[in-house]
Amino acid sequence: MLGKNTFRLAALLLSMLLVLSTALVGCGSPSKEQKTNETPKQSDTDKTESTPKQGKPVEITYWFPHGNSRDKNALEKAVDIFNKANPDIKVTAEFVGASGSGQGITDKLTTAINGGSPPDVVLFDRFMVSQWASGGLFEDLTDLAQANGVTKDMFYDFAIKEASYKDRIYAMPFDTDCRVLYYNKKMFKEAGLDPEKPPLTIAELDEYAEKLTKKEGNRYKVIGFIPWLSQGWLYTWGWAFGGQFQDQSGKITANHPDIVKALEWETTYAKKYDIEAITNFSSASGGDINPFSAGMVAMMISGPWEIAGFKEFKDLDYGVSYIPTPTGSNFNSWAGGWCYVIPKGTKNKEASFKFAKFMSVEEGARIYGEDTVHFMSYKDLNDKFTWVKNEPKAKIFLELFPKSYCRPAISKGQLLWDELATATDNALHGKGMPKELLDKVTEKVNKELGF
Amino acid sequence: MRQIRAGFFNKNKKEITGWLFAFPWLAGLITFYIYPLISSIFYSFTAFKGITPEKFNGIQNYIDLVHDGIFWISLKNTFVYTVLVVPASLIFGILLAIILNVKSEGQGIYRVITFIPTLVPVVAVSIIWQWLLNSQFGLVNYILYKIGLPGPPWFGSELWAKPSVALISLWTIGTTVLIYLAGLQDIPKDYYEAATIDGSSAFGKVIHITLPLLTPVIFFNIIMGIIAAVQQFTLPFVITNGQGIPANSMMFYSMLLYKNAFQYFKMGAANAMAWIMFVMIMILTLIVQYTSKKWVHYMGE
């Protein structure tokens, strides 16, 4: 009797444990689930989705990391319009806080895809698409795009390049930007420079920077120019100096002679002005203070988003110009932006794509670009925005987009970014010669890429 | 005979009921603690990328880590920070606790003031101090400038970056102080009275009574302090925006672990790092534990 009872209870306990652990194992190894999700033939899913049961719309979860009210309102407005126009689909928009260095939802999304219950559509930093696609985390959208009449030439070159991995499309490009030189016209006048003639060559830039700098005791009041401030990444200067970060075979060439020259030039600024005293101007450690609008720097490399932000500063009289190059010609820039991706394992791929398309080339894109003062990757939209028509400073961006690069679309994009940033930082702090540092970056990233 | 059997059964039944009541907790422990713990050992020996099927690759992750320069930099940074912050929080914690233990008017208010910073979320703390310690337009350097002292470049220099983070964590020392305060109040008044009669000075009392009798609490706080310092993540992560600038001097161990796991998709390497950290903390704790026999005095022994 004793044995029997104990046994029964033990069996109960064990079976409860077993149920729990199998549930867990299910979560832990998504590879199996993924396969079953992948295998249903396209036609199967098409059938179930194209004939939705009456009154029961397909439910779609949509994650976005944009928390500021202007962006959030525009995104939610677009969702409302989409839901009204498509009664068979119900999109639920969820704000999901970004993690990491302002690059959007990353760790939460990894976990969700791993757990087998990802959101259906995610607003994602385009720069990371290749890396995530190579890890098998996103659905391939090439066929859906073709079937729905979305072609590569609808977008700027850099945008579709970033959204692809190995010639397959994994994302629908959303907004975009590129970098230009912002300069303070008032400070130009005070320094005896012509406010309508911004520097075009690197030599002019150096000369103007020196004229614009003001020092008081051992503290700088104004620094004319800091190459690495804000958007002055090594990408910016590498391309401006004529360098290329990747060769035809796909190998990384961060030690390209022109990129080395660019970094060497940056270090002259670190030596001339005390690097430690100005690091706080240039790094994120400055908090949310914008040194340009605060009148602490006279020139700065940044993107189009500043235009909307600077409207609050009534006294700020500034101009935008090309990023100077050694020759004063062949101006270029580089672009980034966001896109829509469909994580691996969603059940409503068709409906999700329909929404992604709405947001990237249809009404959703128009609303977002117009309401939030953003350029879009869809080429036809930009010159139609009223804000673009009313903003003379927008012209230079439209001119630069066709000449803009995107960061190499490789499976180790984040590593390359971090390595370049660290190499720049080390070079500026005098920890190693630019050539050696960039050789190391090239070697490390190529090794990780399998070259 | 029958009675004995019944009694035996009752005892067993009680035991089973006990286990049943413990079951919810046990299930939680196994599924959310022991299972992940064991699987993380397993993953540390695989080329697990976070999603693709794992490939067993032996100790390759550990070998790669040892050959990665940044791994050693992060280890060194974390170690330097630990050496800075643990003794500092020990000294300031005890000093503050002794001051706050002195009977005075408004004692409660002072205690509250000391404790309030711990209630501020760490991210908010980081952002507040980013502003205060900004070398160009921060309040701290402004005050230093006004009184004619040179303001250090705080987060801007490799030399000052880690002391700055240590300074911020000292600001949130409230919990440690609270534990010291409790420890102080545990010390019987008789000892002090006896010392007063024998003509001991206040300083003498602190050295010969307070400190020796506080050693169990100090011991506890040192171990907890080491663990917290080695795992420091939020402050450097928020302050440097996840980049570990300047020149990698703020790349802490946990930050590199996070980067490996969620930014480079090297989940296997991240698991390996976690286990290396576990071993490190274990060794440090054992060392402190071992030396404790010589300096920790328990009352009544």
Side-chain angles (χ1 to χ4, degrees), chain A residues 112-169:
Chain A
I113 298 174
N114 250 309
S117 59
D120 300 281
V121 184
V122 182
L123 181 51
F124 200 72
D125 192 338
R126 210 160 56 222
F127 152 68
M128 293 187 290
V129 168
S130 316
Q131 183 177 340
W132 285 60
S134 75
L137 291 144
F138 294 155
E139 292 282 353
D140 184 339
L141 306 178
T142 321
D143 298 334
L144 274 171
Q146 213 164 19
N148 286 284
V150 177
T151 54
K152 285 187 175 185
D153 57 10
M154 292 166 83
F155 304 102
Y156 291 113
D157 260 2
F158 57 79
I160 199 71
K161 236 186 225 171
E162 264 189 332
S164 316
Y165 180 67
K166 291 195 170 156
D167 289 327
R168 305 292 289 176
I169 298 169

Side-chain angles (χ1 to χ4, degrees), chain A residues 9 114 131 277 280 289 418 425, chain B residues 50 135-137 247 259 263-264:
Chain A
L9 274 162
N114 250 309
Q131 183 177 340
N280 275 327
I289 302 163
D418 285 349
D425 203 27
Chain B
S135 73
Q136 290 295 317
F137 36 92
K259 265 183 174 294
Q263 296 195 329
Y264 304 151

Side-chain angles (χ1 to χ4, degrees), chain B residues 24-37:
Chain B
W25 169 83
L26 206 63
L29 184 85
I30 290 167
T31 50
F32 297 115
Y33 206 83
I34 295 174
Y35 167 73
L37 203 72

Side-chain angles (χ1 to χ4, degrees), chain A residues 9 13 24 101 107 113-114 131-132 135 219 276-277 280-281 289 296 418 422 425-426 431 444 448, chain B residues 16 23 31 50-51 68 130 135-137 145 157-158 241 245-248 258-259 262-266:
Chain A
L9 274 162
L13 255 165
L24 255 173
S101 9
D107 39 11
I113 298 174
N114 250 309
Q131 183 177 340
W132 285 60
R219 286 156 65 91
E276 289 184 348
N280 275 327
F281 275 85
I289 302 163
M296 316 201 68
D418 285 349
T422 308
D425 203 27
N426 279 331
K431 294 181 97 181
K444 186 170 180 182
E448 292 267 340
Chain B
I16 290 159
F23 178 73
T31 50
I51 178 126
D68 195 356
Q130 250 182 24
S135 73
Q136 290 295 317
F137 36 92
Y145 175 72
S157 98
E158 295 165 67
N241 209 1
I245 46 174
N248 270 335
Y258 170 87
K259 265 183 174 294
F262 293 106
Q263 296 195 329
Y264 304 151
F265 295 150
K266 290 183 180 173

Side-chain angles (χ1 to χ4, degrees), chain A residues 25-41:
Chain A
V25 170
C27 299
S29 54
S31 45
K32 279 177 221 148
E33 250 178 74
Q34 228 77 60
K35 275 195 193 109
T36 50
N37 270 331
E38 250 172 273
T39 34
K41 286 128 245 139

Side-chain angles (χ1 to χ4, degrees), chain B residues 94 98 101-103 183-184 187-215 218 297:
Chain B
I94 295 175
I98 290 174
N101 203 31
V102 174
K103 285 261 175 301
L184 285 178
I187 301 172
K189 295 223 164 44
D190 323 8
Y191 295 153
Y192 292 108
E193 278 159 18
T196 314
I197 291 163
D198 288 346
S200 170
S201 67
F203 183 71
K205 276 187 243 173
V206 169
I207 293 292
H208 296 293
I209 300 170
T210 314
L211 283 184
L213 290 178
L214 205 59
T215 46
I218 295 175
H297 310 281

